Amino acid sequence: MTRAFITGITGQDGTYLAERLLADGVDVHGLVFTADATSPQVPDAAVLHEGDLTDVGATAALVRRVAPDLVFNLAALSSVARSWEDPDAASRINSTAALGLLEAVAALPGDVRFVQASSAEIFGEPASSPQDEATPIAPVNPYGIAKAEVHAAVGVRRAAGLHATSLILYNHESPRRPTRFVTRKITSTVAAIARGDADELVLGNLDARRDWGWAPDYVDAMVRAASADVADDYVVATGESHSVLDFVAAAFARAGITDWEGLVRSDPSFLRPADATELVGDASRARARLGWAPTVAFVEIVGRMVDADLA
Ligand code: GDP
């Protein structure tokens, strides 16, 4: 039986990945941060191990004990906004801990496969769109800097023979997205406005354009990458970008609120020191070599999130 080890199993992607692998008959193990409450969405059938990923020695010992065939590194300080508040934590969790895990996996015997959740943030403020695997890596925030370091290390380990893949994931959303991300902040606030529990939606940069996909599709890319004959780097993206304001408009439309312009304002306190104007990815390589394709369109993603928040 194949055994998987997932860091970040309590997060949006971790819960979807655990469900998917269990359905595929995989024995699923996950690392849960000792101080964290377990997410109710983590399936009961997953075996959870308490620990702190930043304790590199303890994590390496755990990996040796679990002896997985597949390792998915999804644990991260996952938001760019939080990485500005605590750059040191972004570096320790997203970089140092990930590098330690990568080395621990490389030291395991047998054909062990490593999948790293990298990010479009490694491209910083790219000069052109869409980006692909050849786009220059030039991060502009602490989150992107840490992800870029691990992306490079995965490439080095792959060249040395490890089946290690770095997935350059663009923003991917679902009703499980925490409200610190703009999409869920919008859908939860629009639902609150629809219920009469809130009277305005206060955001930062309304013009930023992002490539928003459906999180379970991105988990499907992780599974495909792990089972591919050859490891590589892959952009995982829909290829379509929309502005934050487009997302707002689609959310109000789904909630049936037509006169919404006066309910939305931009507050400078939510602006970031640096923020890419547009991030949009070209996933041609993943489509061709992994047979991957996104299955849920933008308006439907917004709709599903609004419906979940209204319910
Ligand atoms: P990120 O791509 O991981 O940083 O995901 P976010 O959902 O946090 O941010 C996506 C984009 O939305 C960025 O360009 C933000 O600057 C922009 N944005 C605009 N208003 C807000 C807000 O109120 N909260 C957050 N989190 N992002 C906002």
Side-chain angles (χ1 to χ4, degrees), residues 127-162:
S128 64
S129 286
Q131 299 84 48
D132 64 18
E133 295 81 3
T135 298
I137 293 173
V140 295
N141 56 57
Y143 175 91
I145 291 167
K147 288 286 182 182
E149 191 173 5
V150 181
H151 181 77
V154 166
V156 170
R157 267 290 162 206
R158 184 168 60 239
L162 183 68

Side-chain angles (χ1 to χ4, degrees), residues 80 171 180-182 185 203-205 208 210 244 272 275:
V80 174
N171 300 50
R180 64 176 174 271
F181 293 91
V182 75
K185 178 176 173 182
L203 298 166
N205 180 3
R210 291 290 180 274
V244 171
R272 297 175 183 178
D275 199 24

Side-chain angles (χ1 to χ4, degrees), residues 12 47 50 86 90 99 101 112 142 188 193 203 222 248 269 292:
Q12 169 188 261
V47 181
E50 279 192 17
D86 195 348
L99 297 175
L101 180 66
V112 186
S188 63
I193 290 171
L203 298 166
M222 294 173 194
V248 169
S269 67
W292 178 83

Side-chain angles (χ1 to χ4, degrees), residues 7 23 42 71 93 137 179 192 238 263:
T7 72
V42 176
V71 175
I93 301 167
I137 293 173
T179 54
T238 72
L263 304 174

Side-chain angles (χ1 to χ4, degrees), residues 22-39:
L22 287 165
D24 290 351
V26 174
D27 178 21
V28 173
H29 291 243
L31 179 67
V32 182
F33 187 39
T34 313
D36 254 4
T38 302
S39 158

Side-chain angles (χ1 to χ4, degrees), residues 212-304:
W212 282 294
W214 179 239
D217 285 342
Y218 292 59
V219 159
D220 176 54
M222 294 173 194
V223 175
R224 287 171 186 268
S227 44
D229 289 340
V230 179
D232 208 336
D233 294 331
Y234 292 100
V235 161
V236 184
T238 72
E240 246 184 59
S241 82
H242 298 271
S243 69
V244 171
L245 197 60
D246 292 339
F247 199 105
V248 169
F252 276 112
R254 183 69 161 217
I257 299 170
T258 45
D259 216 5
W260 53 266
E261 270 88 353
L263 304 174
V264 180
R265 71 183 166 85
S266 173
D267 187 302
S269 67
F270 289 112
L271 297 176
R272 297 175 183 178
D275 199 24
T277 311
E278 179 177 64
L279 288 173
V280 57
D282 174 355
S284 299
R285 183 187 287 178
R287 286 172 184 268
R289 299 199 202 151
L290 300 179
W292 178 83
T295 66
V296 187
F298 173 74
V299 169
E300 180 59 18
I301 294 169
V302 181
R304 290 183 189 185

